[in-house]
Amino acid sequence: MSDCWYMPEEVVDRRDENRLSPNVPSSYEALGEIGIFYRHFDANEVSDDVEGFVKPLLSKLNYHSYDVVHLSPSILGEEKFETLAQQHFLEHIHEDDEVRLVLEGQGYFDVRDANDKWIRLLSRPGDCIVLPAGMYHRFTTDQNQYIKTLRIFKEAPRWIAVNRGPEAEEKPARKEYVARLRAPGETAVGAADGRTIFFLRYPLQLDAELTAITARLLEQHSKVPFALMIFLAGSTEPTTGNSWCPDCIPAKAEVAKRFSELQDKYGEAHAFFLQLPVERASYLGNPEFPYRKHPALQLASVPTLLVLTPVKDAKKEANMEWYNLLEVKLRTHDAGSADVLNLE
């Protein structure tokens, strides 16, 4: 995704950039907030061996098929191209995630943000984008009217759109997507309350938000030891409670037990809990996923449980990032065997 910006509700030519005046840029963080995943690959390397590239990716994402398509009047003919182009530009949803990797040419994905405003994403060769099922969006080529993309599917290759309207609103995928946007933070130990239980949804906002929380805890608990438990688990569907991570659901009961033990050890007012949901599309097969490379989290698999306590004289270093103020005392992928009571 080379660039992204907010665009007008109505446009004269869909193939123009169609920026607001003055320009209002968007950001990776804003797209992450509405569930979009982006990653860049070397388009030439992918094109040289499409099957070699995509087969491991299919396995990691639990998808089963792919195809490569061209959208161009010189290949499809003017009439067929324009029919498809108009169809793609109608606002719609899919009942599966839409996974696209641009191999040649470029185009625009338009997506609705949480306030129903259009954001336009410029996609060039090497850009891979995953739009979550149930999200309203549309697509168009630019003025060059040519794009070649790799499409990845859960089942057989197909493109089934449900245009915006009452039918789309009743689709389970749409209801689940809206519920995910609006859902309060529900954790393994109860609903997030912003006092002792926290739920931080977006990886790129983690450090800023957790640094602010840590500074507040250090100020409020300067004379009494405290501990923070962090639980990284596969995200769940708010309407069903199901998770893409089969081990994460049963782990919640063990995590709740370990947190109860942490409360016994430090006192209920001095034991804190943070849950970090991990989205499948962003995490699987992505070595650049922020939690994998994070200096404190170092996520290798989900679920993962950590317990941290303040470093010595942390109060004096309150202007530092949270991971320099807290040190990891426990890290495990098996909450059932975690020895919380004997933490030093």
Side-chain angles (χ1 to χ4, degrees):
M1 181 181 58
S2 305
D3 196 5
C4 55
W5 57 88
Y6 280 90
M7 65 181 298
E9 188 68 25
E10 301 292 336
V11 299
V12 175
D13 188 334
R14 64 176 185 264
R15 298 164 297 185
D16 290 338
E17 286 192 343
N18 290 306
R19 297 175 184 263
L20 295 174
S21 181
N23 182 50
V24 180
S26 185
S27 65
Y28 183 94
E29 289 84 355
L31 298 176
E33 288 181 1
I34 55 177
I36 292 176
F37 165 70
Y38 164 78
R39 185 177 172 191
H40 185 80
F41 296 92
D42 186 317
N44 291 326
E45 290 184 4
V46 177
S47 296
D48 289 343
D49 184 9
V50 171
E51 185 169 349
F53 167 82
V54 79
K55 284 296 179 67
L57 191 60
L58 291 174
S59 177
K60 289 177 181 178
L61 295 177
N62 197 28
Y63 280 47
H64 296 95
S65 61
Y66 72 95
D67 64 9
V68 175
V69 296
H70 296 80
L71 190 60
S72 167
S74 63
I75 296 173
L76 300 175
E78 291 285 351
E79 184 176 351
K80 184 176 181 180
F81 168 80
E82 188 57 31
T83 298
L84 286 174
Q86 291 182 16
Q87 184 180 11
H88 290 161
F89 200 64
L90 291 173
E91 187 174 358
H92 61 273
I93 65 169
H94 302 295
E95 295 187 78
D96 290 325
D97 295 345
E98 179 168 325
V99 185
R100 300 290 185 268
L101 195 159
V102 180
L103 300 176
E104 298 175 3
Q106 62 183 42
Y108 302 114
F109 286 95
D110 299 338
V111 299
R112 292 286 190 182
D113 73 0
N115 297 312
D116 213 32
K117 303 296 184 182
W118 281 120
I119 300 176
R120 171 154 283 195
L121 289 62
L122 172 60
S123 296
R124 289 174 169 160
D127 288 345
C128 178
I129 185 171
V130 180
L131 305 182
M135 166 184 276
Y136 283 123
H137 66 282
R138 62 192 183 190
F139 174 79
T140 181
T141 61
D142 65 4
Q143 291 290 353
N144 292 318
Q145 298 191 127
Y146 173 76
I147 194 166
K148 176 182 177 182
T149 60
L150 169 66
R151 308 189 303 176
I152 299 175
F153 302 91
K154 285 186 176 179
E155 304 297 340
R158 61 177 186 168
W159 189 87
I160 299 177
V162 183
N163 292 338
R164 184 163 187 166
E167 181 184 359
E169 291 296 325
E170 291 302 314
K171 292 293 184 181
R174 177 62 184 171
K175 291 182 177 181
E176 290 172 4
Y177 176 71
V178 172
R180 191 183 307 124
L181 288 182
R182 298 175 179 173
E186 190 65 37
T187 77
V189 301
D193 57 20
R195 298 186 303 276
T196 59
I197 303 175
F198 303 91
F199 184 91
L200 300 183
R201 198 181 303 272
Y202 308 116
L204 294 180
Q205 298 177 9
L206 171 68
D207 286 341
E209 294 188 39
L210 191 48
T211 295
I213 291 170
T214 301
R216 187 169 75 246
L217 296 181
L218 288 170
E219 182 178 354
Q220 295 173 348
H221 303 270
S222 59
K223 298 180 180 180
V224 181
F226 72 86
L228 172 67
M229 178 175 285
I230 300 179
F231 180 45
L232 296 105
S235 57
T236 59
E237 291 293 347
T239 55
T240 65
N242 295 329
S243 173
W244 63 266
C245 168
D247 296 329
C248 293
I249 298 300
K252 288 183 178 181
E254 294 298 331
V255 168
K257 292 178 184 177
R258 300 294 83 79
F259 185 62
S260 179
E261 293 172 354
L262 198 70
Q263 290 176 313
D264 291 340
K265 181 177 178 66
Y266 286 89
E268 290 189 10
H270 308 290
F272 302 91
F273 186 87
L274 167 62
Q275 186 155 322
L276 302 178
V278 177
E279 295 288 342
R280 183 187 71 168
S282 302
Y283 169 73
L284 288 180
N286 180 13
E288 301 301 315
F289 183 67
Y291 294 162
R292 292 187 191 272
K293 303 180 71 175
H294 194 279
L297 300 179
Q298 300 176 17
L299 182 64
S301 64
V302 289
T304 290
L305 185 70
L306 298 91
V307 177
L308 304 93
T309 59
V311 301
K312 186 178 180 180
D313 298 327
K315 179 67 175 177
K316 298 178 181 179
E317 307 292 340
N319 61 327
M320 300 175 67
E321 296 280 1
W322 70 271
Y323 47 84
N324 293 317
L325 299 169
L326 304 175
E327 59 180 332
V328 177
K329 293 291 188 178
L330 181 150
R331 183 195 309 274
T332 182
H333 308 303
D334 181 8
S337 64
D339 187 359
V340 171
L341 292 175
N342 290 315
L343 289 176
E344 295 182 1

